[in-house]
Amino acid sequence: MAEEHSSTNPMEQALDSFNQVQIGDIVEAEVLSIDDGQLVVGIDNSGVEGVVPLKELTADRKADIHDLAHVGDKLELLVVRPSASDKEDGSFILSKRRIENKKAYEKMAAIKDNDETVTGKVTGTVKSGLLVDINGLRGFIPASMISDHFVRDLNPYVGKELTLKVIEVNRAKNRLVLSHKEIDAEQKSAKQAEVFAKILPGDVLEAKVSRLTNFGAFIDLGGVDGLVHISQISYQHIDKPSDVLQPGQDVKVKVLDVDKERGRISLSIKATQPGPWETVAEKISVGDEVDGTIRRLTDFGAFVEVLPGVEGLVHVSQISWDRVNKPSDVLKVGQKVHMKVLNVEPDKRRLGLSIKALINNPHESKKPKEAASPEPSNYKLPDEERGFSLGDIIGNNKLNK
């Protein structure tokens, strides 16, 4: 029996060792040399050598292989396939990266099962969402799962680290889907509570414009948006907020109202600026001729803007020498008119104007049939709108889409 054992061919022993290594095995191996962008390794207890190409060490194709491994290092490797060419010194191609990938997917599955969160860095964008890196594992955040509101521009997220929920893990398809939506909502809720606890009506704050709508501008107050209604942007009439503001612009705002129950903060930009009525007396006097634009029509007259933020009243009796039943019969909003100043009362924000005073009276020789209607002494400009409704916000989201 001893003679039979001693006669065993060394080649047969090598083949027996070779057959012990199977595709899919996870083996321990020692780095024997580093050559041509690959590691030559010896698989422990087998007498078999293999190679680990750079792409099987890391996903970073620009990495220096000498920074990743050194001769004598012990590595845990996956046997991928048999060597297919002379350039691939050794019997098998092995991979370190695939083992790490497998472990990473297993970790993500455990995180999902335990309803935990993970931190990932946004590496890029695609049309439908964000690409993220989580310790070398690539994941995807669909656009609908980035925030609790529609995000038009994805680029500001690139380079940021986000806390994420794991939505789907599928290693067979290399698919890892994540969401920041729930985290974003939680963070906003916490920030909202913090902001509402320290902001009071009357406060004047420095802030930035976050986004614009047709009805106003949303201002970032530190993670919570307040609204400057279009009527509170400027004393001067503006058609739309984008005519005078742009996202990212620094502005000074005054807090008009804080509604904690509805989660609304109403702001004003113009309230931080000198009022136009403060200098009216220096610019306009009784008897002056002025030009203006009709902004509103009422049953008793026309409100005309003669200076930015300053509107005067042309009473119905001061429109024409002919009888006028309704101002809208002879005037229209947006019309330019030339007028004479009848009275100036800056403290009451009243300015009396007349169109007919600059026109010759065709009935001068005729006796008036009836007295003119008295001018109202208690009129006031319509109340300015403050705040915003849920419908405003929904409408804005539809507009952005």
Side-chain angles (χ1 to χ4, degrees), residues 295-312:
R295 296 303 182 193
R296 285 181 292 277
L297 295 172
T298 69
D299 289 339
F300 59 83
F303 285 95
V304 185
E305 185 178 50
V306 295
L307 292 172
V310 175
E311 292 183 3

Side-chain angles (χ1 to χ4, degrees), residues 171-242:
R171 180 170 174 259
K173 295 183 178 180
N174 284 325
R175 182 175 172 83
L176 176 62
V177 181
L178 307 123
S179 173
H180 183 59
K181 186 174 182 178
E182 296 83 358
I183 307 299
D184 186 56
E186 292 173 4
Q187 291 174 340
K188 284 184 177 179
S189 178
K191 287 179 180 178
Q192 186 179 70
E194 181 182 347
V195 170
F196 274 82
K198 65 182 181 181
I199 288 184
L200 297 172
D203 288 349
V204 176
L205 310 169
E206 298 283 348
K208 286 184 181 292
V209 177
S210 59
R211 53 196 173 99
L212 300 173
T213 71
N214 286 335
F215 59 83
F218 283 94
I219 310 299
D220 184 1
L221 301 177
V224 176
D225 281 351
L227 176 73
V228 177
H229 189 268
I230 188 171
S231 64
Q232 290 294 329
I233 292 177
S234 173
Y235 286 109
Q236 185 174 357
H237 174 79
I238 60 174
D239 293 321
K240 54 184 184 295
S242 58

Side-chain angles (χ1 to χ4, degrees), residues 294-303 313-316 319 325-329 333 376 379-380 382:
I294 298 174
R295 296 303 182 193
R296 285 181 292 277
L297 295 172
T298 69
D299 289 339
F300 59 83
F303 285 95
L313 174 68
V314 178
H315 186 261
V316 64
I319 294 175
N325 292 319
K326 292 191 304 181
S328 58
D329 290 339
V333 173
Y379 70 85
K380 64 177 181 178

Side-chain angles (χ1 to χ4, degrees), residues 32-205:
L32 303 177
S33 65
I34 303 175
D35 187 35
D36 291 336
Q38 63 184 14
L39 306 180
V40 178
V41 299
I43 301 175
D44 289 359
N45 303 315
S46 72
V48 176
E49 293 185 0
V51 296
V52 185
L54 177 62
K55 68 179 182 179
E56 295 296 348
L57 273 176
T58 177
D60 184 2
R61 300 299 177 85
K62 297 180 180 180
D64 187 339
I65 195 169
H66 294 87
D67 294 333
L68 304 177
H70 305 86
V71 173
D73 285 353
K74 287 285 189 176
L75 303 177
E76 185 181 41
L77 303 170
L78 173 70
V79 181
V80 177
R81 61 178 174 83
S83 175
S85 69
D86 293 338
K87 292 183 179 180
E88 298 173 338
D89 299 329
S91 304
F92 293 99
I93 302 300
L94 302 103
S95 174
K96 179 173 181 286
R97 178 184 169 195
R98 298 192 195 194
I99 290 181
E100 293 174 345
N101 182 269
K102 178 176 180 293
K103 290 180 178 179
Y105 269 102
E106 290 173 348
K107 182 178 181 180
M108 289 301 106
I111 289 174
K112 179 179 182 297
D113 292 341
N114 295 327
D115 196 28
E116 297 174 344
T117 60
V118 65
T119 300
K121 184 175 182 179
V122 180
T123 58
T125 67
V126 291
K127 185 176 181 180
S128 54
L130 301 174
L131 299 177
V132 294
D133 178 81
I134 304 173
N135 296 323
L137 190 64
R138 190 174 75 163
F140 173 67
I141 308 174
S144 61
M145 295 184 182
I146 296 173
S147 177
D148 61 352
H149 68 272
F150 177 74
V151 178
R152 179 182 295 276
D153 186 7
L154 303 181
N155 290 314
Y157 285 92
V158 176
K160 287 187 175 181
E161 288 197 349
L162 303 177
T163 302
L164 306 164
K165 298 276 285 186
V166 180
I167 304 301
E168 181 184 347
V169 181
N170 189 327
R171 180 170 174 259
K173 295 183 178 180
N174 284 325
R175 182 175 172 83
L176 176 62
V177 181
L178 307 123
S179 173
H180 183 59
K181 186 174 182 178
E182 296 83 358
I183 307 299
D184 186 56
E186 292 173 4
Q187 291 174 340
K188 284 184 177 179
S189 178
K191 287 179 180 178
Q192 186 179 70
E194 181 182 347
V195 170
F196 274 82
K198 65 182 181 181
I199 288 184
L200 297 172
D203 288 349
V204 176
L205 310 169

